[in-house]
Amino acid sequence: MDTTELVALAVEAAEEAGDLLLRRFRVPARGVGRKSSSTDMVSDADRDAEALIRERLRQTRPDDSIIGEEGGADEGDSGLRWVIDPLDGTTNFLFGLPQWAVSVACEDEDGGLVGVVHSPCTAETFTAMRGRGAYVGSKRLAVSAKSDLSDALVATGFSYVPDERAVAAEILVRVLPRIRDIRRAGAASLDIAWTSAGRFDAYFEIPTHHWDWAAGVVIAHEAGATVSELASIGPSGPGLLVAGPALHEALRELVAGPGG
């Protein structure tokens, strides 16, 4: 299977999962539980969407590895690994807010090969293949060319761990006066996709997890973004910064702060 077939498979799986989730959206949720904290939620919608994606991938690619946020890791020996976030933005989904997405990536030994972020509520599917550009539908994506922090609209997100949220608040106090404004939409994969499309000028978040960014980072790279890791602010691990090359370093220095 070539890369074009891989992205077609990812789109098919993500959009089918999106259809399932739309049928569950704004109806009473089932099987709601908590994960890392009282605010980190999961539901049957997350689990069922991931099971659907895994089944579709297994039907066509039985020898590939799969990592999913809800179902853990299945090992394979093909050299390819799928990374799934079946419902990025569970809190939004459960509260009836339309900012949530399905994220599916395929990686090889060199990193991200294919990235798909599907937004069911807007009927948008962002796609990228390594070396072949990034798109939403048939429109090619390009990151913002801005270089002035004071004119930058920046997306961010927050940890579910209270102590890490406190540190993130301190970072915001430092960042907010120096930029145009902050947006917190609540789904990392969409934040990265929208940054790739130039809707945001940049995105940063600490921490992030592999399934949060695996697809989005492929899209960001192919849209011309600079992507870098941010140091952890607690036990949950490091974060991520995505921005156009002209803005990236200045924002990185601002987020990291003195001595960062």
Side-chain angles (χ1 to χ4, degrees), residues 67-239:
I67 296 174
E69 180 175 10
E70 311 308 335
D74 294 334
E75 296 301 323
D77 57 11
S78 70
L80 294 180
R81 173 174 62 186
W82 297 88
V83 185
I84 305 164
D85 191 340
L87 175 49
D88 182 23
T90 297
T91 299
N92 284 346
F93 182 88
L94 293 174
F95 277 75
L97 303 174
Q99 288 83 15
W100 47 272
V102 181
S103 175
V104 180
C106 186
E107 301 174 335
D108 62 13
E109 61 183 5
D110 296 318
L113 180 62
V114 161
V116 170
V117 175
H118 175 53
S119 172
C121 290
T122 59
E124 289 185 310
T125 302
F126 299 82
T127 64
M129 295 179 281
R130 184 195 297 150
R132 300 193 188 183
Y135 296 84
V136 57
S138 61
K139 180 181 178 181
R140 187 152 187 167
L141 303 181
V143 291
S144 169
K146 288 180 184 175
S147 59
D148 184 355
L149 274 178
S150 67
D151 194 33
L153 184 63
V154 179
T156 194
F158 307 111
S159 170
Y160 291 111
V161 178
D163 288 347
E164 292 177 338
R165 291 168 74 87
V167 177
E170 295 172 3
I171 294 172
L172 273 186
V173 169
R174 181 168 64 247
V175 171
L176 187 55
R178 297 280 304 280
I179 64 174
R180 174 184 289 272
D181 211 343
I182 283 283
R183 293 292 182 267
R184 197 281 203 260
S189 63
L190 277 183
D191 286 342
I192 300 171
W194 291 347
T195 300
S196 303
R199 299 174 189 176
F200 296 135
D201 296 305
Y203 156 80
F204 75 91
E205 185 169 352
I206 315 170
T208 55
H209 302 288
H210 192 182
W211 46 78
D212 295 326
W213 54 256
V217 163
V218 182
I219 297 167
H221 279 308
E222 291 300 316
T226 300
V227 180
S228 65
E229 185 177 284
L230 295 169
S232 64
I233 56 175
S236 300

Side-chain angles (χ1 to χ4, degrees), residues 15 66 108 180 225 251:
E15 292 185 349
I66 300 176
D108 62 13
R180 174 184 289 272
L251 181 58

